[in-house]
Amino acid sequence: MNLPNNICIVGLGLLGGSYAMGLTRAGCTVTAVDVRDEAIRYALEHGLVAEGTTENPAPLLQKADAVVLGLYPQALVEWLRENQAHLKPGTLLTDVCGVKGGIVETIQGFLRPDVEFIASHPMAGREVSGVEYANCEMFRPANFIIVPTEKNTPRGIAFAQGLAETLGFAHITRLSIAEHDKMIGYVSQLTHAIAVSLMNATDNTHLAEYTGDSFRDLTRIAKINEHLWSELFFANKENLIAEIDQFAASLEGLKQALANDDEAELKRLFVQSARRRRLFDKKQAER
Amino acid sequence: MNLPNNICIVGLGLLGGSYAMGLTRAGCTVTAVDVRDEAIRYALEHGLVAEGTTENPAPLLQKADAVVLGLYPQALVEWLRENQAHLKPGTLLTDVCGVKGGIVETIQGFLRPDVEFIASHPMAGREVSGVEYANCEMFRPANFIIVPTEKNTPRGIAFAQGLAETLGFAHITRLSIAEHDKMIGYVSQLTHAIAVSLMNATDNTHLAEYTGDSFRDLTRIAKINEHLWSELFFANKENLIAEIDQFAASLEGLKQALANDDEAELKRLFVQSARRRRLFDKKQAER
């Protein structure tokens, strides 16, 4: 695949750092811009990047053929407004944001016409942050979603595709902004809302010694980064509220079956959920 | 530890079979009673038991020093009513039921005074059933809860303790019936109700290719056995309904923070859930 040679990572966190590792291993010249001195120092010492700065990004951007923006949504938009003047003509840009609505249109609305922003979402993450935890192996089982708009060109889409293939993602697909955000509202944000609400439902910490794997699996994602996730939740508010309502109605239906001693209905709900969940295993096995 | 020599397992499913494996390995003489010919044949062929029957259990019970009842709650009560006459005086009995209220008192109410039933709950399981999946290694990371009542003696409690130690459970504790069922309503039944309701909220099967680990972890337990779990839910109905209500209120609070653009409250909820969840990791690590 035909990946640009010089790639600048802006925001050297867990994802940005893992991109840097994977792209350096693939033979690209990777540079990095971050606000933390320690992040740049770590990346240089561990061979994740060839150069890095916490100062003026212009010198690195002027050498970059492509830029990966590993920033939170709002910071991403602000950073691009301030720094797009430094980009080389023809630069390809992409992001790692978990929500696309409101962000992609905004960026594509103000961006210089001689550079291209193609949105993408690596569906990978951990309950830790920082380049110190970077590991490009985390992409191997993960999904990568490319979110093209009418502003994108085949060259831009091919860049995102090549990036995902180089980083070794298991599954690469394309969705529209609306499809992406609806899907994310259900499979990612609703699950985080549930895990958080389960931990908050009661002061349960005295129960820690009794919890089994199922409880731990279900609540692992409750160790949430409040800054990132409040941005993501508000950015996808309508979809997420609709998903919460649908889930709450489903749970209420189960409760009613229980309250009414309706054994047939309760069993029907169990059979349906088990059948659906087994399909997920099947589709995973088919990959 | 001083475990009885001859132990009869009644109900040779996943748990009963795994008990048989662990107890045979520990040097006990293990026998089994089941309704499935194939279960008994499998257990004999794989050396899990020394003897087994699908017919009259009296000959095996008359040799047994202890009986482990690996049956569903209702079946357990019925089986004991029908077969307690065959037990040797002094026989120690225990179960594997996930709910204790209504069951333990009933059994201890009608049981012959010269035998003893001590309730216990191995908090282990998988999304499969049958002796063919038996594997006593599944007890190593798991909790074992002994649920003594005023009808129990030190000898009965020591039997349950010895059983759990022999089978290698990580953590052995004692709770009252009420404490047990309240805890189970939260850490096990509510989590299953959530996973089932999440799978049932929408026809989501087209999303399977986009789901990440967090969604799969959260819904793994939705592959639920409808016969066992409807019994368990109805047996603990009041506790479970109270837990569902508390969780639903917690989720509604999160939704309101979102709807009201209350960033401070949303972040507070995230910080609280993350702090609580990290305590669970800490307590696990301390074990």
Side-chain angles (χ1 to χ4, degrees):
Chain A
M1 74 215 70
N2 220 338
L3 212 58
N5 176 54
N6 188 306
I7 302 183
C8 179
I9 312 284
V10 178
L12 207 55
L14 176 67
L15 280 172
S18 301
Y19 272 53
M21 181 188 287
L23 293 170
T24 294
R25 282 192 191 170
C28 298
T29 300
V30 179
T31 65
V33 176
D34 200 274
V35 293
R36 287 174 62 223
D37 278 329
E38 311 81 51
I40 298 296
R41 193 158 50 232
Y42 180 93
L44 286 168
E45 281 173 3
H46 290 76
L48 305 184
V49 301
E51 275 186 275
T53 184
T54 56
E55 308 290 328
N56 178 9
L60 295 182
L61 295 177
Q62 279 151 20
K63 288 190 283 186
D65 305 310
V67 175
V68 173
L69 298 146
L71 300 171
Y72 287 12
Q74 290 173 20
L76 161 58
V77 172
E78 285 162 29
W79 190 91
L80 263 183
R81 279 192 202 277
E82 283 173 28
N83 292 288
Q84 62 165 325
H86 307 309
L87 298 171
K88 268 202 316 197
T91 299
L92 293 162
L93 301 106
T94 192
D95 67 328
V96 301
C97 285
V99 172
K100 299 304 182 192
I103 298 158
V104 178
E105 307 95 316
T106 302
I107 291 170
Q108 291 182 340
F110 70 67
L111 200 66
R112 280 167 44 186
D114 62 340
V115 300
E116 179 172 350
F117 177 82
I118 170 78
S120 64
H121 179 190
M123 287 184 70
R126 289 177 56 199
E127 289 72 45
V128 290
S129 56
V131 66
E132 294 80 358
Y133 295 98
N135 184 353
C136 56
E137 294 302 315
M138 77 191 219
F139 301 138
R140 302 221 156 264
N143 292 314
F144 187 91
I145 305 173
I146 302 171
V147 187
T149 71
E150 55 186 16
K151 297 281 182 79
N152 288 114
T153 67
R155 177 171 168 262
I157 296 170
F159 160 61
Q161 179 81 27
L163 192 64
E165 289 174 10
T166 302
L167 293 171
F169 280 86
H171 193 59
I172 305 167
T173 46
R174 295 180 199 179
L175 290 176
S176 70
I177 291 177
E179 288 167 340
H180 173 274
D181 286 2
K182 183 162 168 43
M183 180 276 288
I184 281 296
Y186 179 75
V187 308
S188 168
Q189 297 189 319
L190 176 60
T191 55
H192 281 77
I194 288 171
V196 164
S197 299
L198 182 58
M199 291 312 295
N200 286 337
T202 42
D203 185 359
N204 40 40
T205 42
H206 64 288
L207 296 176
E209 60 185 314
Y210 299 109
T211 56
D213 287 346
S214 58
F215 188 87
R216 285 178 196 275
D217 282 353
L218 207 142
T219 57
R220 184 175 51 83
I221 54 175
K223 288 180 286 184
I224 201 166
N225 174 324
E226 71 272 18
H227 304 293
L228 175 60
W229 283 88
S230 65
E231 269 202 47
L232 293 175
F233 272 27
F234 284 121
N236 203 26
K237 180 173 149 173
E238 281 71 31
N239 279 318
L240 179 52
I241 287 178
E243 294 295 345
I244 289 174
D245 284 342
Q246 225 162 357
F247 166 76
S250 173
L251 183 62
E252 176 66 22
L254 184 151
K255 187 186 116 181
Q256 287 306 326
L258 197 57
N260 299 334
D261 292 323
D262 190 342
E263 186 184 335
E265 172 64 4
L266 192 60
K267 285 187 175 173
R268 188 190 70 77
L269 293 173
F270 289 163
V271 168
Q272 175 174 283
S273 78
R275 195 184 56 233
R276 285 191 182 162
R277 184 57 179 77
R278 276 190 288 264
L279 278 179
F280 279 59
D281 287 342
K282 189 160 167 284
K283 290 200 186 177
Q284 189 170 47
E286 278 165 7
R287 280 193 189 175
Chain B
M1 76 217 67
N2 220 338
L3 213 59
N5 176 52
N6 187 307
I7 302 184
C8 181
I9 312 284
V10 178
L12 206 54
L14 176 67
L15 281 172
S18 300
Y19 272 53
M21 182 188 286
L23 294 171
T24 294
R25 282 192 191 170
C28 298
T29 299
V30 180
T31 65
V33 176
D34 199 274
V35 293
R36 288 174 62 224
D37 279 329
E38 312 79 53
I40 297 296
R41 195 160 47 233
Y42 180 94
L44 287 167
E45 281 172 4
H46 290 77
L48 305 185
V49 301
E51 271 187 279
T53 185
T54 56
E55 309 288 331
N56 179 9
L60 295 182
L61 294 177
Q62 279 150 22
K63 289 190 282 187
D65 305 310
V67 175
V68 174
L69 298 146
L71 300 171
Y72 287 12
Q74 291 172 22
L76 161 58
V77 172
E78 285 161 29
W79 190 91
L80 263 183
R81 278 192 202 279
E82 282 173 29
N83 292 288
Q84 63 165 322
H86 307 308
L87 299 169
K88 270 201 315 198
T91 299
L92 294 162
L93 301 106
T94 193
D95 66 330
V96 299
C97 285
V99 172
K100 299 306 182 191
I103 297 157
V104 178
E105 308 92 317
T106 303
I107 291 170
Q108 291 182 340
F110 70 68
L111 200 67
R112 281 166 43 186
D114 63 339
V115 299
E116 179 172 351
F117 177 83
I118 169 79
S120 64
H121 179 190
M123 287 185 71
R126 289 177 57 199
E127 290 72 43
V128 290
S129 56
V131 66
E132 293 81 358
Y133 295 97
N135 183 353
C136 57
E137 294 302 315
M138 77 193 219
F139 300 137
R140 300 221 158 264
N143 291 315
F144 188 91
I145 304 171
I146 303 171
V147 187
T149 71
E150 56 185 14
K151 297 284 182 76
N152 288 113
T153 67
R155 178 173 166 262
I157 295 169
F159 160 61
Q161 179 81 28
L163 193 62
E165 289 173 10
T166 302
L167 292 171
F169 280 84
H171 193 60
I172 306 167
T173 46
R174 295 179 200 181
L175 291 176
S176 70
I177 291 176
E179 288 166 340
H180 173 273
D181 286 1
K182 182 162 169 42
M183 180 275 289
I184 281 295
Y186 179 75
V187 306
S188 168
Q189 298 190 317
L190 176 59
T191 55
H192 281 77
I194 287 171
V196 164
S197 300
L198 181 58
M199 291 312 295
N200 286 338
T202 43
D203 184 359
N204 41 39
T205 43
H206 63 288
L207 295 177
E209 59 185 313
Y210 300 108
T211 55
D213 287 349
S214 59
F215 187 87
R216 286 176 196 277
D217 283 354
L218 207 142
T219 57
R220 184 175 51 83
I221 55 174
K223 288 180 288 183
I224 200 166
N225 174 323
E226 72 272 18
H227 304 293
L228 174 59
W229 283 87
S230 65
E231 269 201 46
L232 293 174
F233 272 27
F234 283 121
N236 203 25
K237 179 174 149 174
E238 280 71 30
N239 279 318
L240 178 53
I241 287 177
E243 295 295 345
I244 289 175
D245 285 342
Q246 226 161 357
F247 166 77
S250 174
L251 183 62
E252 176 67 21
L254 185 149
K255 187 186 114 179
Q256 287 306 324
L258 197 56
N260 300 334
D261 292 322
D262 190 343
E263 185 184 335
E265 172 64 4
L266 192 60
K267 285 187 176 173
R268 188 191 70 78
L269 293 173
F270 288 163
V271 168
Q272 176 175 281
S273 77
R275 193 183 57 234
R276 284 190 183 163
R277 183 58 180 77
R278 277 191 287 267
L279 278 178
F280 279 60
D281 288 341
K282 188 160 168 284
K283 289 201 186 177
Q284 189 172 46
E286 279 167 5
R287 280 193 188 174

